[in-house]
Amino acid sequence: MNLATRDIRYNFGRFVFTTIGIGLLLMIVMGMGGIYRGLIHEAILLVDRVGADLWVVQGNTRGPFAEISRIPGNLENRVRSVQGVAGARRFVSHTIQREQSGKALRIVVEGLAWPEDRGDWVPLLSGRSLRQAHYEMIADVSLNLALGEKITLGKDRYEVVGLTSGMVGTSGDGLAFFTVSDALAIQFDVPGEAVRLERAARRARVENSELGRLQPLLLDRAVGSARGIPALPAPLVSAVLVTLQPGADVSAVRATLGTWPDVTVYSTKEQKDMLLDGMVDKARRQIGLFRVLLIFISTIIIALIIYTLTLDKIRDIALLKLIGARNRVIGGLILQQSLFMGAFGYGLAWFLGQFLFPQFPRLVLIVREDLISLGFIVLAISTLASMLGIWKAMSVEPNTVLSA
Amino acid sequence: MTVPAVEVEHLRKVYGSGHTEVVAIRDASVTIARGEIVGMFGPSGSGKSTILTAMALINPPTSEKVMIGGELVLDGPKALVDLRAFRRQHLGFVFQKANLIPFLTALENVQIALEVNDTAPKAARKRAMELLDYLGVGVRANNLPVALSGGEQQRVAVARALANDPSLILADEPTAALDSQRGRQVMELFAKVAHERNAGVLVVTHDHRTLDVFDRIVDVEDGMIREREIAASEQ
């Protein structure tokens, strides 16, 4: 006869409410694990999807995600000349915040090297990839932009031509893919008045210089577009993405690029490690510690619940001892109740998580390994928690039944 | 000569020591034969329950011996057998309150006593049902204790006490919570069990209305047991 199931049947309402409480607690533990996994997933998502073998960034920096990297856009031509390189693409990445429909809209702007890269690798839910050099964008659904919707960024309006999902940056903000030139236009956009003032200042500097006095035609150039002034630097990009030829020797290409003093080269794995060790590490440790704390609290709560349930049955336990029940019968009653509570709580946590976690603003990624490990943790804490109740039961004297 | 169900001689029980010492049993000797029902009377605090719990192997005496079924079980506070195993094989208990496990049905309350004594579940269920029928509460077998009357609960408790065919049944004021009619029914039940099932039965009680049920009566006073002569009118 299983005493645990009969006691549960008798006190069904109490068991259900207690299990719901434990289930909610375990759901938080499960969710914390999912947030941690989601953090890692989002951090390395773009590095994984963009499909580069090597990342060329500003010398002595750990860009473009861990810190700012600025390299000239024409560096891609230099990289293409290296033996073993199949292709090189400019890459721009920066975050902007604008207002859309009265709400703050944070976008991680990613620049694709048009025309080589039109975003064909981006998994689309609807729409298409980029088909023209300007004014088109592919947006993640988390940005809440509709297909065909037009938004103003800087001085230009961009149309959403494709929608993707699950593409977010390390901070959880949705990605939007533009051509590199559009991404730079968005990044370096300054108000018209600032442009006019800069041009006037430029003209004044030229007028006051000997070169300006000797070549008056330069004054017309000075008030023109910056792009038309050879002395001004070319637009800067965040990185150049390198794709190697099949069978190419990675270390040889790295060695060649490594001799260039103005850049630093990272493999995809190194980029991921930098993201995880640098940007995500503290958040990861914080969540990890919080999770440990929650598991500890869960153990204490389950132990107290089991202890209270044991106290409620103390006379029944004394009676069982009096009629000669062995310790394993009594211990089994308490341990099984604890395990039932843990198991049902775990199942409830999983069930509720299926509906609640997708509603969270950031990705909560529940993976099989975490479910299995949490299952073992619940098994361990349920067993551990029952010890207090079992200890109490073992210390009860059979004559307690006579004392009431 | 038949072996007595229980035999205690010159039993002594002392609580505390030094100036806090309290002598609960001074010198108690009693023998109960199998098939005999003995009533134990005495005022509150006289030591009745202490003698009963010593015989029940849950409150060992300070000195002298307890023999059950001819086997020396307690030598003073020292246990000579596994007391819990001995209790489940040889003793049955009934209390003032039925003390049924609330989350088990009447049938399961009897069945559990058999299962803890290693009876297979199916056989335990059959035997439990037979006992409930024998005590007239078979129709309530699947009811939880909360749905039973006080008398029915006490019958189930008696069935549980009988489950393992014990040589000794110890009852501590089993009719205190019952009205006179039901109290008498329970006492007659104990007599029936003692005579038909050849068990020794010791009933601690204050209820003088059921004196006629007992084969013998002992009085406990100041920790000592005295045999009482039963008048013919009481028999």
Side-chain angles (χ1 to χ4, degrees):
Chain A
M1 186 191 309
N2 189 303
L3 294 174
T5 53
R6 279 162 176 81
D7 187 29
I8 289 168
R9 185 183 61 188
Y10 183 69
N11 294 300
F12 191 68
R14 185 172 64 177
F15 178 80
V16 166
F17 281 110
T18 309
T19 304
I20 288 173
I22 290 170
L24 292 174
L25 200 61
L26 290 176
M27 190 187 73
I28 295 172
V29 177
M30 198 179 277
M32 294 305 290
I35 290 170
Y36 163 69
R37 289 283 181 187
L39 207 64
I40 292 174
H41 177 82
E42 288 177 346
I44 60 175
L45 179 75
L46 187 62
V47 178
D48 259 342
R49 293 275 174 87
V50 82
D53 296 315
L54 294 171
W55 294 66
V56 180
V57 302
Q58 183 181 338
N60 301 321
T61 71
R62 292 175 172 264
F65 303 108
E67 65 175 301
I68 290 173
S69 163
R70 293 271 174 264
I71 53 175
N74 58 13
L75 184 75
E76 66 176 336
N77 300 324
R78 216 192 323 158
V79 172
R80 281 196 192 109
S81 67
V82 175
Q83 193 172 6
V85 171
R89 292 171 280 161
R90 288 160 293 154
F91 179 77
V92 172
S93 179
H94 58 91
T95 303
I96 59 170
Q97 181 166 331
R98 299 288 186 274
E99 196 165 293
Q100 175 79 358
S101 308
K103 287 182 181 174
L105 177 66
R106 285 182 64 81
I107 306 174
V108 181
V109 175
E110 302 293 345
L112 303 176
W114 175 273
E116 298 87 5
D117 186 356
R118 298 163 186 247
D120 293 323
W121 52 272
V122 178
L124 294 176
L125 288 179
S126 58
R128 56 170 174 81
S129 51
L130 305 181
R131 279 193 195 153
Q132 61 186 47
H134 294 290
Y135 316 125
E136 287 188 348
M137 63 187 279
I138 301 167
D140 185 77
V141 285
S142 64
L143 296 170
N144 291 322
L145 297 172
L147 197 65
E149 187 173 349
K150 289 183 178 177
I151 62 167
T152 302
L153 298 170
K155 293 182 183 60
D156 301 309
R157 282 174 69 74
Y158 298 87
E159 182 182 355
V160 179
V161 296
L163 285 175
T164 182
S165 74
M167 298 294 275
V168 293
T170 52
S171 58
D173 299 319
L175 298 183
F177 298 91
F178 302 80
T179 61
V180 163
S181 54
D182 283 350
L184 290 171
I186 294 165
Q187 184 179 10
F188 297 112
D189 173 60
V190 287
E193 184 60 19
V195 172
R196 282 190 288 278
L197 287 171
E198 168 58 22
R199 287 177 180 177
R202 220 184 287 154
R203 181 188 170 93
R205 283 201 299 276
V206 174
E207 275 178 341
N208 293 333
S209 70
E210 191 180 351
L211 185 65
R213 283 193 291 276
L214 290 172
Q215 297 186 34
L217 283 176
L218 279 178
L219 294 175
D220 293 335
R221 281 287 180 89
V223 296
S225 164
R227 219 175 298 164
I229 304 172
L232 293 179
L236 298 170
V237 295
S238 305
V240 169
L241 310 184
V242 181
T243 310
L244 299 178
Q245 289 169 350
D249 184 355
V250 181
S251 55
V253 175
R254 280 196 74 161
T256 305
L257 295 172
T259 60
W260 298 356
D262 57 336
V263 296
T264 300
V265 184
Y266 295 110
S267 66
T268 297
K269 183 180 179 310
E270 285 169 333
Q271 274 292 354
K272 285 185 193 173
D273 290 344
M274 275 193 289
L275 281 165
L276 296 180
D277 295 342
M279 298 177 74
V280 181
D281 184 54
K282 277 186 183 168
R284 186 172 62 171
R285 276 189 287 163
Q286 181 136 329
I287 290 170
L289 285 172
F290 197 53
R291 202 177 176 210
V292 169
L293 202 63
L294 279 172
I295 289 169
F296 187 63
I297 292 167
S298 304
T299 309
I300 291 174
I301 290 175
I302 295 175
L304 287 175
I305 290 169
I306 292 296
Y307 184 72
T308 310
L309 292 177
T310 305
L311 287 183
D312 287 349
K313 288 193 287 285
I314 216 76
R315 282 176 56 80
D316 304 327
I317 289 167
L319 179 84
L320 285 169
K321 283 188 169 183
L322 186 69
I323 64 173
R326 293 175 179 85
N327 283 342
R328 65 180 153 83
V329 173
I330 297 161
L333 161 68
I334 298 164
L335 176 63
Q336 284 172 46
Q337 277 195 333
S338 187
L339 290 174
F340 279 136
M341 215 168 267
F344 283 113
Y346 175 82
L348 187 71
W350 178 81
F351 179 75
L352 291 177
Q354 302 289 307
F355 299 99
L356 283 178
F357 293 152
Q359 312 303 321
F360 280 39
R362 287 199 66 170
L363 178 68
V364 181
L365 190 62
I366 306 296
V367 298
R368 188 183 162 86
E369 292 78 24
D370 286 352
L371 286 175
I372 291 170
S373 67
L374 184 61
F376 280 110
I377 288 169
V378 170
L379 182 71
I381 64 174
S382 301
T383 306
L384 197 65
S386 69
M387 294 301 155
L388 187 64
I390 290 173
W391 167 79
K392 180 66 186 170
M394 293 302 121
S395 64
V396 172
E397 291 295 331
N399 55 12
T400 306
V401 77
L402 304 173
S403 61
Chain B
M1 183 184 161
T2 55
V3 177
V6 65
E7 191 174 2
V8 295
E9 279 189 20
H10 308 298
L11 210 65
R12 184 175 166 81
K13 178 71 183 180
V14 179
Y15 292 108
S17 60
H19 66 280
T20 61
E21 183 178 288
V22 176
V23 181
I25 309 172
R26 200 171 297 280
D27 181 6
S29 299
V30 67
T31 300
I32 300 169
R34 294 196 73 147
E36 182 182 38
I37 178 167
V38 176
M40 184 181 274
F41 287 79
S44 295
S46 60
K48 302 186 300 292
S49 292
T50 309
I51 294 169
L52 185 115
T53 53
M55 288 180 178
L57 312 179
I58 53 178
N59 186 17
T62 308
S63 63
E64 293 310 321
K65 296 172 175 56
V66 176
M67 293 179 76
I68 294 176
E71 189 172 351
L72 182 59
V73 180
L74 283 174
D75 185 2
K78 187 181 171 192
L80 301 176
V81 295
D82 177 353
L83 296 183
R84 205 184 293 188
F86 199 89
R87 278 201 304 271
R88 72 171 164 261
Q89 287 160 4
H90 299 281
L91 301 183
F93 304 93
V94 182
F95 312 100
Q96 182 178 334
K97 288 181 183 172
N99 279 325
L100 300 179
I101 297 174
F103 53 84
L104 299 181
T105 62
L107 181 70
E108 288 166 343
N109 263 285
V110 182
Q111 192 181 338
I112 188 70
L114 288 152
E115 286 192 18
V116 298
N117 200 24
D118 299 328
T119 307
K122 200 173 173 183
R125 197 172 175 80
K126 186 167 177 281
R127 164 102 173 126
M129 198 62 225
E130 284 169 5
L131 284 167
L132 291 177
D133 284 335
Y134 173 69
L135 295 167
V137 279
V139 289
R140 310 304 302 271
N142 294 317
N143 288 104
L144 289 170
V146 73
L148 304 178
S149 70
E152 286 171 331
Q153 287 186 23
Q154 207 57 298
R155 281 165 183 268
V156 175
V158 174
R160 183 178 62 196
L162 291 174
N164 292 305
D165 213 5
S167 56
L168 178 64
I169 295 173
L170 300 166
D172 189 9
E173 303 197 31
T175 59
L178 303 176
D179 59 40
S180 59
Q181 189 189 349
R182 287 208 171 85
R184 178 153 195 95
Q185 284 174 353
V186 169
M187 284 300 192
E188 285 172 349
L189 199 59
F190 279 125
K192 182 180 172 189
V193 165
H195 301 146
E196 290 182 2
R197 293 184 174 257
N198 199 33
V201 179
L202 175 66
V203 181
V204 170
T205 181
H206 284 106
D207 190 354
H208 285 81
R209 291 169 300 182
T210 54
L211 290 176
D212 60 307
V213 172
F214 301 114
D215 298 321
R216 278 195 301 134
I217 293 171
V218 292
D219 288 305
V220 181
E221 197 161 356
D222 297 331
M224 296 179 72
I225 295 178
R226 289 190 187 84
E227 193 88 18
R228 188 198 295 183
E229 290 294 324
I230 303 176
S233 60
E234 291 173 342
Q235 284 285 16

